Amino acid sequence: MLHNKSFAKKTRAGKVTKQLREHYLRDDIYCGAPFCTVCNTSGARLSATASTVLVLDTNVVLNQIDLLENPAIEDVVVLSIVLEEVKNKNLAVYNRVRAICSNPKRNFFVFSNEYHRETFVKEMTGETKNDRNDRAIRVAAQWYQNHLGGAVKVLLITNDKGNKRKASEEGIFAETVESYVKSLDRPDLLDLLVRPASEDVDMEEVEDLRPSKRKVIYSEHKPMSEITSGLHRGIYHQGKLRVNRYNPFEAYVGSESIGDEVRVYGRSNMNRAFDGDIVAVEVLPRDQWHEEKSLSIVREEDEDEDEDVHLAPNSADDAPRTAPQQGSSGEVNVVSSRPSGCIVGIIKRNWHSYCGSLEPMPMPAGSGGIAHALFVSKDRRIPKIRIQTRQLENLLDKRIIVAVDSWDRQSRYPSGHYVQTIGEIGDRDTESELVLIENDINSRPFSSQVLACLPPLPWSVSPEDLSNPIRQDLRHLRVFSVDPPGCKDIDDALHCYALPNGNYEVGVHIADVTNFVHPGTPLDDEATERGTSVYLVERRIDMLPKPLTEDICSLRSDVERLAFSVIWEMTPEADIISSRYTKSVIKSSAALSYIEAQARMDDSRLMDPVTTDLRNMNSLAKKMRSRRIERGALTLASAEVKFQIDTETHDPLDIGMYQIREANQMVEEFMLAANVSVAEQILKNFPLCSLLRRHPTPTREMLEPLLCTAAAVGVHLDVSSSKALADSLDHAVGDDPYFNKLIRILATRCMTQAVYFCSGDLSPPEYHHYGLASPLYTHFTSPIRRYADVIVHRLLAASLGISKLPSVFHDRLQLTSIADNLNYRHRNAQMAGRASVELHTLIYFRKRPTDTDARIVKIRSNGFFVFVPKYGIEGPVYLTTKAEQGSGEWYVDEQQQKIKKMDGSLSYSILQTVKIHMEVVEPQPNRPKLQLTLI
Amino acid sequence: MRGIQLPLSQTQKVRLQKALEKLESLSSKVNSNASVTISDSISVNHEDSVLKGHGTADLNGEVVATVCGIVERVNKLVYVRALRSRYKPEVGDIVIGLVVEVAQKRWRLEINYSQNAVLMLSSMNMPDGVQRRRTSVDELNMRSIFEEQDVVCAEVRGFQHDGLHLQARSQKYGKLHRGQLLSVPPYLVKRQKQHFHHLEEYGTDLILGCNGLIWVGEHIEGKDDMVDDQVNESAPEAVLPSKNYVSLDQEKNYTTLETRKYICRAANAVRVLSTLGFNITLEIIKGVVDLSLSMNLDIHDMLGSEFCVLVAEKEAERRSSNKKR
Amino acid sequence: MEFVSPEGLRLDGRRPMEMRQIRAEIGAVSKADGSAVFEMGNTKVIAAVYGPRELQNRSQQISSQALVRCEYSMANFSTGDRMRKSKGDRRSTEISLVIRQTMEACILTHLMPRSQIDIYVQVLQADGGTRSACINAATLALADAGIPMCDLVTSCSAGYLNTTPLLDLNYVEDSAGGPDVTLGILPKLDKVTLLQMDSKLPIDILENVMQLAIEGCKAIAKYIREVLLENTKQLEYRRGV
């Protein structure tokens, strides 16, 4: 074990110091080939039958990472010097290389050439660092060739001409990436290759074929030094770019140095920045600030980004955690007092892979098979990406994943490369997969480590569980559960028992998930990541493994199960006298569906104990509900639709609005009460580290559109408080029975999102839940499908002294980040669910063009948006075609919210009923969309 | 390993190495096996009751060394002789010391021991040679006998409650002047019958103090024990080189160049031997001085690397010839 | 930052259980009674011992044993940037105290009453583990001076980074902010005389790290013993009969 001192000169803050580091050279570093006779082969990773071993250059690893991730590339030796250089240049690529190297299925071996006595290379005088590293790579390759002998060919892969030449001179086999991949005879791999910028094809070829396109040149990004000095002086502001989901040419930069958000409007002002990048923005002079006009349905700069038909939104998007006033989507009609700016530089890029498909284009008339195509991402915030591909005809009808490489000033679009295919467009599974990828949902099966944390099946309540002093034996209680039909993961059950003193004992029993999911285990880590179960139309992505969700934790009927119980003593007027919490063992006597429960309650002939309990609970629930409404709880209408799925083809058979019955409301009432009780209990004990849920009050700005619309139809809404709003909504009655519901649906859109938060981060007044009119709220009742409930279970158990509070609660920052992650996952799950519903809607209507009623909900200059109550969807109806736009045939009356024909013959006002025709059309091949037209 | 801090050329290194190896081979095997370091256990026959002497300690019934050195066994006594340590006084040793303090009725001398030694006023001969009780006047005149930084030769008298006491009653003890004081590790100076040596051919005196301090000086009559009778006559002159008389006695106190050269040679010889770690005896010193004279070496060259190597080689020869005999 | 690569190599090429190269030299300061230079990797420390000798301050005299004094200092040039005040600051005082207490525990002071033993330790080059190197150097110097000790004291540091216990941290690993355990033991008597730690460490892992440090100390003790034995033999044969 030799010892060698190597000198490194480093500069810190301008000061030059000489650093002395030790550098031990070893002779116990092995080559990693299992057939090697000299070395210890216990750590060998190369395959036994390898005929060619590849040694990669740094730039090859940096640029061609997608190629390397493809399983076709194997038997690669990654040198430690290459890994170090990659780590210094690009951490993301480094992580991916490490992932490949540690993957046991891939034959990548990491060779520590810097510490091996024979392959250590000392810097020669006058040699630059890069040259030295290149020399080290060549020496290592040479050593490998000598070491492995003639049976195996050691190939150095490098695109650097100088390196290649020197390697050939030294007798090392060297090839460029392209020639190697060509020799493998796999044309699909060639697509994964990234062309270096210098070899880029002339821009002219690639420009969009439509003649109306102009050549756009972006202003240069300012160099970093200028940006930093500008930031110091306050000319530039730093912040994250948030692109409007519905209008990709509008974006906001939220910066602390400027109180408000800076709007960035227009492609040239956005200057090649992506959503999520950290950018430096310069505020434009006041006269250049962009006024928001009453927008047409988005068309900008000859782009034809049409609005798509989509589901009615449930809330204003992008609800923040803390207060600053935020506008939401670009649909809002706000007089612009916000400063506008343009982006002068990008501080940190947020590029990753995007899923979507290629823009339909005619096949190129033969150019060696390479075609330049434009990739359109599913996420509308991302601009189109230009890629080169050999398999254009193959890919045109597929959903693919593409990664971005660069965005030149001269080029209208960024350049990227193809990574992989998901499946065919329109294929239900592919589209579902796309929905999941887009929303960052992990649908991979649970790893073996996670499954190892489960108790062995078949599982049943054991004598230890029964004898555990913390657990109360409640098997004698008549417990039952009410859930949607076909529900297998039952996480809540109820009981109601009349006490001799006239009061009722009501209990809510929740599945005791934390008994099986312990902090720090792989199961818990996986659940933390997933955050929530995702409900797509045809399937459910579970947060916890199926054995837990459907069997061990699920409170099925006629089996003993472990539960966490909240038990109240209530007067017949539903006043809570006392509440207690305990872990328990229960045995559910019936697992009813909502329909069944409702039927039982309604059937006056039935007098069995379960039905009596149901009726008692129902009356209590009604009283609780009325009290809640008294306090100001809002009842908003949901536009949720439900699908009936054909069991064989999994195609939607029928689509309909979700029916709410009394039974639903009864269960909901008790769940809410349980959540509030638990919230009180945990906050009392852990005022600084409880996980609660709040609903911020919507601002005046957010409610503007609703007020406008309501005013136009003569309804006065008082939005001073939630109670006032609830009352005015009750009084908003119109000509037809659906009017009220419609107003409620519109009100729903103005609401903020409810979010999880850590109680130590905000002050008590901010804990308020606007929608439920409750000062305190949390999620406790569904631990099987929500991780927040698991956390609250742990908090509750600690507050009762049953178990110790896990260490994560002591770290506030970590708790806050967990809450943020839960919010993120919750939002994503919601969006995924809605996207799945939209997808199925499209599939449903594909074969069934329908005529139906619709209500106008928004007026625009060239048409209006309608809402179809029967199917719960919303979309644009155009009155003028694109060609006619601006012809002045129609004009908009803002005050009355009407659109009128110039000659006065026709007019449409808001909330008016119209008849429309719905049908799926394909204006571009492989781009089905649902079109609504007036009849 | 103590390295010789001299710049040696390659050939010199080789020669030195050879000489040292020869010495090593000549050394007694017994001794090298008996070397121990701290906390090495000493093999002892437990049945015999063994007396644990200096440098040993008892650890769970095992005899363990507390210093690095050589194990010596004398009958039932087992002790570890440390090499490079401070001087360990024994009664009757001749020592040379440096006066560091003039205290009440005594002088304190630094003798390379863990404490300073005490030379009582009463243990000194009075300048006039009269044996009388020391009065307070004598006390006040102590400085006229010895002052700070004077080099004194004395004999160890014994341990008293307040430290080590010396005595300088005889004529051969007392203040030393006109010479050089050298410091070598005490273990290089063995206890012998004679510590005062007179090198006639060079006219120098050599005193080998058992505490490692060595004096090389001009030969002063009356310091030899052979000329004891003449002590009374010449002693006063020698013992009292008071400063008051310096101008008058300057001529008498002048040391000739020749003598000084010889003094220097002798001193350098001692230095070389100390660097090399060889025993210091009269014989060996004489041999080294002769060697340097025979080569006509300049005095300061004696401290150079070449001479050092030569001395080493000569010593090796000498020992091997001794062994053969 | 990756301190232990997935291949099991640290930043300087050692494996987690390996110490740096050690080197010891006795007799560097010829004027002192005992002296030694001890190197652990790039950390270089020189120690000089004077004693037992007369007390300089009579009032501090202890009638039954020797007074042990220790002074630790870092040379101005020992770290990358030239330091100005390196003596008398808090860290130096603390380390001086630590070394004094450690050495005092093993010197048999009762054999040398009314005297004092001075240990001067100076760091010539600092690259992590200076405390341990100082203690090792002091042990060597004391042994060279022939001062009786009940056992050698050896010391080594260990840490815990990237969930791996590491032996003998160098400066880069030390400044990573992870726990740094310095351990001093009497190898033959198997006793711990010094245990210091920076930062936090769960108690079950502390045991592992301490065990690792003890292994390191024992290896150093073996080396020191060899060096001392070699030295003794050499002195003896040179001296002759």
Side-chain angles (χ1 to χ4, degrees), chain A residues 479-482 490-495 507-511 555 586 588 671:
Chain A
V479 173
F480 50 86
S481 64
V482 187
I490 304 175
D491 40 22
D492 54 82
L494 308 153
H495 87 268
V508 170
H509 311 277
I510 309 296
L555 304 175
I586 59 163
S588 169
M671 294 302 128

Side-chain angles (χ1 to χ4, degrees), chain A residues 537 642-647 650-656 840 844:
Chain A
V537 171
K642 231 168 84 77
F643 278 96
Q644 256 187 323
I645 303 283
D646 180 326
T647 41
H650 292 283
D651 277 338
L653 282 179
D654 192 13
I655 174 173
H840 281 79
Y844 179 76

Side-chain angles (χ1 to χ4, degrees), chain C residues 164-182:
Chain C
T164 329
L166 302 176
L167 182 60
D168 196 12
L169 305 171
N170 61 20
Y171 181 69
V172 181
E173 291 165 344
D174 206 355
S175 27
D180 174 16
V181 176
T182 308

Side-chain angles (χ1 to χ4, degrees), chain C:
Chain C
M1 166 127 182
E2 209 176 66
F3 290 100
V4 182
S5 77
E7 291 78 55
L9 295 178
R10 286 151 83 170
L11 292 173
D12 52 4
R14 288 184 282 156
R15 292 206 193 272
M17 309 270 178
E18 283 172 359
M19 272 179 58
R20 294 176 284 183
Q21 200 175 61
I22 44 180
R23 199 178 86 81
E25 194 190 303
I26 300 188
V29 180
S30 42
K31 192 160 186 298
D33 287 321
S35 58
V37 172
F38 195 80
E39 281 182 55
M40 280 168 93
N42 278 348
T43 302
K44 190 164 170 171
V45 158
I46 189 165
V49 166
Y50 291 85
R53 57 177 175 180
E54 179 75 26
L55 283 153
Q56 274 154 7
N57 194 346
R58 204 57 85 64
S59 58
Q60 285 176 339
Q61 190 183 62
I62 311 173
S63 57
S64 57
Q65 56 186 44
L67 177 74
V68 177
R69 281 179 58 233
C70 176
E71 220 171 271
Y72 164 94
S73 70
M74 293 182 82
N76 284 350
F77 47 84
S78 61
T79 58
D81 298 320
R82 191 181 175 85
M83 286 194 289
R84 264 184 292 140
K85 185 181 166 206
S86 49
K87 227 181 179 186
D89 67 326
R90 204 170 290 177
R91 183 174 171 270
S92 300
T93 328
E94 191 236 330
I95 299 185
S96 309
L97 183 69
V98 162
I99 298 180
R100 184 176 76 76
Q101 285 176 338
T102 318
M103 304 324 291
E104 207 173 9
C106 66
I107 299 178
L108 300 174
T109 47
H110 62 270
L111 294 177
M112 300 158 288
R114 289 181 221 276
S115 55
Q116 86 175 20
I117 300 174
D118 290 322
I119 310 174
Y120 298 99
V121 187
Q122 184 162 67
V123 177
L124 299 176
Q125 223 177 260
D127 188 26
T130 52
R131 208 171 296 218
S132 306
C134 287
I135 293 178
N136 294 330
T139 304
L140 274 168
L142 285 169
D144 185 39
I147 294 178
M149 299 204 281
C150 64
D151 196 356
L152 296 171
V153 187
T154 51
S155 163
C156 192
S157 66
Y160 188 75
L161 287 171
N162 288 147
T163 70
T164 329
L166 302 176
L167 182 60
D168 196 12
L169 305 171
N170 61 20
Y171 181 69
V172 181
E173 291 165 344
D174 206 355
S175 27
D180 174 16
V181 176
T182 308
L183 190 77
I185 62 165
L186 305 175
K188 177 88 180 225
L189 300 175
D190 233 349
K191 293 205 174 142
V192 174
T193 57
L194 170 68
L195 179 59
Q196 280 191 308
M197 188 172 90
D198 295 330
S199 178
K200 280 202 283 197
L201 195 57
I203 229 176
D204 43 347
I205 300 182
L206 176 64
E207 285 206 39
N208 286 354
V209 173
M210 258 184 74
Q211 200 52 45
L212 191 59
I214 291 180
E215 307 270 322
C217 290
K218 295 219 164 120
I220 297 181
K222 192 154 157 283
Y223 176 72
I224 286 183
R225 237 188 223 114
E226 275 167 22
V227 166
L228 285 175
L229 203 59
E230 179 74 36
N231 185 44
T232 314
K233 285 193 186 158
Q234 202 187 58
L235 288 178
E236 184 58 27
Y237 77 67
R238 284 215 207 155
R239 172 182 180 255
V241 180

Side-chain angles (χ1 to χ4, degrees), chain A residues 630-645:
Chain A
E630 205 58 33
R631 277 204 317 267
L634 284 178
T635 32
L636 298 171
S638 128
E640 256 181 74
V641 291
K642 231 168 84 77
F643 278 96
Q644 256 187 323
I645 303 283

Side-chain angles (χ1 to χ4, degrees), chain A residues 436-456:
Chain A
L436 292 176
I437 295 179
E438 238 195 316
N439 288 303
D440 197 8
I441 294 176
N442 182 1
S443 59
R444 286 195 298 274
F446 290 103
S447 69
S448 48
Q449 287 166 312
V450 170
L451 293 174
C453 300
L454 299 177

